[in-house]
Amino acid sequence: ASYECIFAGQAITGGKAVIEVYFFGFHIHQETHDLCEETSCPITVGNFVLSYNQVLPGFTPPGSYKLKMTLSGARIKQLTCISFDFKINFGASESSVSDSLSAHQVYI
């Protein structure tokens, strides 16, 4: 799947971050956060950093997952979205997450 990135070209004073999780292509979880609680607002024009940590349940089935985060502004339906695939594997003594994460920078 491909996702379009829309750049506002102006400071962002509010909005939301929607996080969706898919397991083998099936939508299994969604949560919404206030964008200004995740990073400092207003977000000025240029690069900014958005850090997000997700705690997995005590038992998380092994398999292929996709995480998609969509950012929207107060008056803009979609600023951008970021998605990546990852796998959860069980080792001999503990579970491990392997992914292809790289640093994502969003330009407004």
Side-chain angles (χ1 to χ4, degrees):
S2 62
Y3 303 104
E4 286 187 34
C5 294
I6 300 169
F7 304 110
Q10 60 187 5
I12 303 299
T13 57
K16 63 183 177 178
V18 177
I19 291 102
E20 298 174 90
V21 181
Y22 298 84
F23 179 59
F24 287 107
F26 293 98
H27 188 268
I28 60 167
H29 180 73
Q30 180 172 322
E31 55 190 69
T32 302
H33 299 273
D34 185 304
L35 188 56
C36 294
E37 291 177 7
E38 300 297 320
T39 191
S40 298
C41 284
I43 302 169
T44 57
V45 174
N47 292 330
F48 72 96
V49 174
L50 176 65
S51 178
Y52 176 77
N53 293 316
Q54 177 68 50
V55 177
L56 298 176
F59 175 76
T60 302
S64 297
Y65 290 80
K66 176 185 287 287
L67 186 140
K68 177 183 170 187
M69 178 186 289
T70 304
L71 305 178
S72 61
R75 295 180 300 275
I76 302 169
K77 184 175 179 181
Q78 181 176 313
L79 296 169
T80 191
C81 66
I82 303 158
S83 73
F84 60 87
D85 299 318
F86 64 96
K87 289 184 179 180
I88 295 181
N89 301 309
F90 282 108
S93 60
E94 62 183 28
S95 64
S96 62
V97 176
S98 62
D99 60 38
S100 58
L101 271 181
S102 61
H104 293 279
Q105 287 190 338
V106 178
Y107 185 79
I108 296 180

